């Protein structure tokens, strides 16, 4: 009886399993990041993988993904409603953020057995990305982004009588808007929510290569808020959709 049973089992079609020492070990594939693929949340594996691999617990499987620097992430390997396996879960989201995945990036994967995949990432210029920002570099980048949106200025006597307020070059987003002619509606908004329409201006001078400033409408803001010499104003760009809003926080002198 046992011999017959064994013979019958050997006649059944063989389905490769992901941990088979022969089957899919050494299997390679690539993925291109498309706009509608939701790649920051999950990454769908190719049909050839989904059709030929059997997993005992398809919605409870953990895969390990390792990059070229030997850093690894544990991700869920689940089937989506269409029957495709996907890298997903919190682990995949962490991997996507860590590698700054972007639309059009090209990823290659090699299966090494025992649920271990090695991967590489290629950027928009088709070359492999090998270096990623460290935590310290990310901190500096965030600080730079904040500087691009915000600046602080001390009110001088000239700012109370002349119709302009200079914008420093460190506030890159505002200087870019100014250089573009300050197109669109631009308003200064105080802490009470009141708004003053202004214009952004840019010009080149002999002693100063470039100068950026808030022009017409500035003095109305000054008088409306009772600004005095020594007061400080913190300017922050907060909206760029239908209207350019520059939020202003006033720190009174001596306070």
């Amino acid at each position: 009886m046992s011999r017959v049973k064994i013979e019958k089992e050997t006649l059944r079609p063989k389905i490769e399993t992901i941990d088979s020492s022969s089957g899919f070990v050494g299997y390679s594939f690539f993925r291109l990041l498309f706009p509608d693929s939701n790649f920051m949340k999950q990454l769908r594996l190719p049909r050839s993988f989904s059709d030929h691999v059997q997993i005992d617990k398809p919605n409870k499987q953990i895969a390990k993904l390792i990059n070229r620097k030997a850093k690894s992430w544990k991700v869920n390997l689940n089937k989506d409603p269409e029957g495709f396996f996907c890298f997903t879960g919190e682990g995949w989201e962490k991997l996507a953020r860590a590698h700054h995945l972007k639309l059009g990036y090209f990823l290659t994967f090699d299966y090494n057995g025992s649920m271990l995949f090695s991967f590489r990432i290629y950027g928009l210029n088709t070359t492999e990305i090998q270096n990623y920002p460290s935590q310290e570099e990310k901190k500096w980048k965030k600080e730079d982004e904040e500087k691009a949106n915000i600046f602080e200025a001390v009110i001088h006597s000239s700012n109370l009588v002349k119709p302009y307020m200079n914008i420093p070059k460190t506030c890159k987003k505002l200087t870019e808007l100014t250089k573009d002619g300050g197109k669109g509606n631009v308003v200064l908004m105080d802490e009470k929510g009141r708004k003053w329409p202004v214009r952004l201006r840019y010009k080149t001078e002999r002693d100063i290569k470039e100068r950026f400033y808030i022009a017409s409408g500035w003095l109305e803001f000054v008088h409306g808020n009772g600004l005095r010499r020594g007061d400080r104003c913190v300017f922050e760009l907060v909206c760029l959709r239908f209207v350019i809003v520059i939020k202003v926080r006033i720190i009174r002198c001596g306070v």
Side-chain angles (χ1 to χ4, degrees), residues 67-122:
N67 68 10
R68 64 178 292 110
K69 291 190 174 182
K71 186 171 182 179
S72 62
W73 286 261
K74 290 183 178 180
V75 305
N76 295 340
L77 184 61
N78 297 335
K79 271 194 174 182
D80 67 11
E82 296 180 38
F84 286 87
F85 279 109
C86 299
F87 292 138
T88 185
E90 184 180 354
W92 173 258
E93 292 180 27
K94 288 181 179 179
L95 183 152
R97 290 194 300 269
H99 293 84
H100 303 279
L101 295 187
K102 295 180 181 179
L103 180 66
Y105 275 20
F106 185 91
L107 284 69
T108 63
F109 294 86
D110 295 297
Y111 178 59
N112 305 309
S114 301
M115 298 303 291
L116 176 64
F117 296 79
S118 55
F119 68 94
R120 294 188 175 191
I121 301 175
Y122 296 81

Side-chain angles (χ1 to χ4, degrees), residues 16-142:
E16 298 291 356
T17 62
I18 197 167
D19 289 317
S20 169
S21 59
S22 54
F24 267 59
V25 174
Y27 172 76
S28 300
F29 61 93
F30 70 86
R31 295 283 83 184
L32 181 62
L33 304 184
F34 290 103
D36 57 351
S37 60
N38 196 23
F39 56 82
M40 295 301 290
K41 294 287 185 181
Q42 66 175 33
L43 187 72
R44 178 183 277 187
L45 278 58
R47 174 66 75 181
S48 58
F49 183 90
S50 303
D51 286 348
H52 293 85
V53 173
Q54 179 179 336
I55 297 178
D56 293 335
K57 298 178 180 179
N59 292 318
K60 295 183 179 180
Q61 189 65 61
I62 301 296
K64 190 175 183 181
L65 308 184
I66 183 169
N67 68 10
R68 64 178 292 110
K69 291 190 174 182
K71 186 171 182 179
S72 62
W73 286 261
K74 290 183 178 180
V75 305
N76 295 340
L77 184 61
N78 297 335
K79 271 194 174 182
D80 67 11
E82 296 180 38
F84 286 87
F85 279 109
C86 299
F87 292 138
T88 185
E90 184 180 354
W92 173 258
E93 292 180 27
K94 288 181 179 179
L95 183 152
R97 290 194 300 269
H99 293 84
H100 303 279
L101 295 187
K102 295 180 181 179
L103 180 66
Y105 275 20
F106 185 91
L107 284 69
T108 63
F109 294 86
D110 295 297
Y111 178 59
N112 305 309
S114 301
M115 298 303 291
L116 176 64
F117 296 79
S118 55
F119 68 94
R120 294 188 175 191
I121 301 175
Y122 296 81
L124 299 178
N125 60 357
T126 71
T127 59
E128 184 182 359
I129 299 174
Q130 300 185 24
N131 298 312
Y132 302 96
S134 64
Q135 291 299 321
E136 196 63 30
E137 287 173 334
K138 289 178 185 177
K139 180 181 177 182
W140 293 339
K141 184 177 181 181
K142 184 177 180 181

Side-chain angles (χ1 to χ4, degrees), residues 2 35 48 72 76 103 132 154 172 175 178 183 185 237 249:
S2 60
S48 58
S72 62
N76 295 340
L103 180 66
Y132 302 96
V154 177
K172 292 182 180 179
T175 57
T178 306
K183 293 180 180 178
N185 298 317
L237 183 65
R249 181 165 63 93

Side-chain angles (χ1 to χ4, degrees), residues 167-216:
I167 301 171
K169 292 181 181 179
T170 53
C171 193
K172 292 182 180 179
K173 288 190 177 179
L174 263 179
T175 57
E176 287 171 3
L177 287 169
T178 306
K179 205 167 186 177
D180 194 35
K183 293 180 180 178
N185 298 317
V186 185
V187 298
L188 299 181
M189 184 173 69
D190 65 18
E191 293 171 287
K192 295 179 181 179
R194 297 179 299 175
K195 298 176 182 178
W196 282 264
V198 296
R199 294 293 295 177
L200 304 180
R201 299 293 184 190
Y202 156 81
K203 67 178 182 179
T204 303
E205 299 178 344
R206 290 182 181 179
D207 53 337
I208 304 173
K209 290 184 178 180
E210 296 176 322
R211 189 162 76 87
F212 306 90
Y213 54 98
I214 300 169
S216 56

